[in-house]
Amino acid sequence: MAEEIKKQHLDFNAIGEDGISEIEMYNPDLQINETFRMNEIQEYARPRVEEIFLFVSKELRKYGKSSLPGGAVLIGGAANLEGIEQVAKEVLKNPIFKYAFDRNLVEFVPDYNDDPTFINCISLAAYALFHHDEFNLNQKVSKASFSSNNNSEEGGGVGGFFKKLLPWS
C-alpha cells in the first residue's frame, strides 16, 4: 500500500501547497478503507529522499568529486517520482537528468514504455546484444560450474558461475 501511495500520489513539487489533502485507500489486510493525510506523507518522504542524496554526495566527496561536470542521471523506479529531480538538484548541487533510453535501441523489449524502472536490466541486455563480439557467452557458460563444493581460485558455485559470465573475467 505504501508503494502504491508513493507511486501514485507523492509529489515533491507539491509539498506545502494546497492540493489533495487526504487520500483514501483500501487496506486488504484489514479489509477496510484507510485515510492518509498527504502533508504527513510528504513530510516523511522528502527527508528520506534527501537522506539518500546526502549519502550519494558524501560518497562523491570521498572520491574527490563534489561536483559532476555532466551532472547526475536518475534511473530506476524512483526516477518516476514527481519532483525528485528538484530534490536531487537541491541536495547534490549538480545538474540532474532523468535517464531516457534511445527508443531505437530497445526494439527487443516490445512493451517498453520509457519507464526507467528496469533500465539497468535493459541496458545490460542491450549491451550484451550489441557487443556480443567482445565476449563469447556460450564458451563461458559451458566452462561454468554449478557445483557448490568447488572452492578453488577458479571459483565454483553460483558466484563462480556468474563471475565467468563477465566479459572482463
Side-chain angles (χ1 to χ4, degrees):
M1 191 159 56
E3 185 72 12
E4 190 175 330
I5 291 171
K6 178 181 78 173
K7 287 180 179 178
Q8 294 179 9
H9 300 286
L10 186 60
D11 183 353
F12 293 112
N13 293 323
I15 291 179
E17 295 179 10
D18 291 335
I20 300 172
S21 60
E22 292 182 341
I23 57 169
E24 189 173 309
M25 296 195 74
Y26 179 73
N27 184 333
D29 295 332
L30 300 175
Q31 296 185 351
I32 61 169
N33 284 339
E34 288 189 88
T35 303
F36 300 94
R37 294 179 33 200
M38 282 309 297
N39 63 341
E40 288 178 0
I41 292 169
Q42 292 170 336
E43 286 172 10
Y44 175 78
R46 182 166 178 125
R48 300 299 72 79
V49 170
E50 287 174 350
E51 245 177 6
I52 292 168
F53 290 122
L54 284 169
F55 179 74
V56 169
S57 179
K58 180 181 173 183
E59 289 297 305
L60 288 171
R61 283 193 312 274
K62 199 185 319 184
Y63 295 101
K65 300 285 183 186
S66 60
S67 70
L68 302 169
V73 180
L74 300 178
I75 62 170
N80 284 329
L81 297 176
E82 284 295 320
I84 196 159
E85 295 100 330
Q86 186 59 36
V87 177
K89 192 179 293 184
E90 289 170 13
V91 175
L92 295 175
K93 300 186 182 0
N94 278 286
I96 303 295
F97 305 95
K98 183 175 170 182
Y99 185 74
F101 202 86
D102 183 351
R103 198 76 174 110
N104 297 324
L105 297 177
V106 291
E107 292 173 355
F108 62 94
V109 182
D111 59 350
Y112 177 72
N113 59 358
D114 299 325
D115 181 357
T117 303
F118 299 106
I119 205 66
N120 283 342
C121 295
I122 292 170
S123 297
L124 289 170
Y127 185 85
L129 285 172
F130 298 116
H131 296 90
H132 57 84
D133 55 325
E134 292 180 22
F135 53 96
N136 184 346
L137 281 180
N138 291 333
Q139 179 186 6
K140 292 184 181 193
V141 170
S142 65
K143 289 183 195 175
S145 167
F146 283 101
S147 168
S148 60
N149 296 329
N150 182 0
N151 292 326
S152 68
E153 187 67 31
E154 188 69 24
V158 176
F161 169 74
F162 285 113
K163 188 173 183 180
K164 291 177 185 178
L165 292 177
L166 298 173
W168 55 84
S169 62

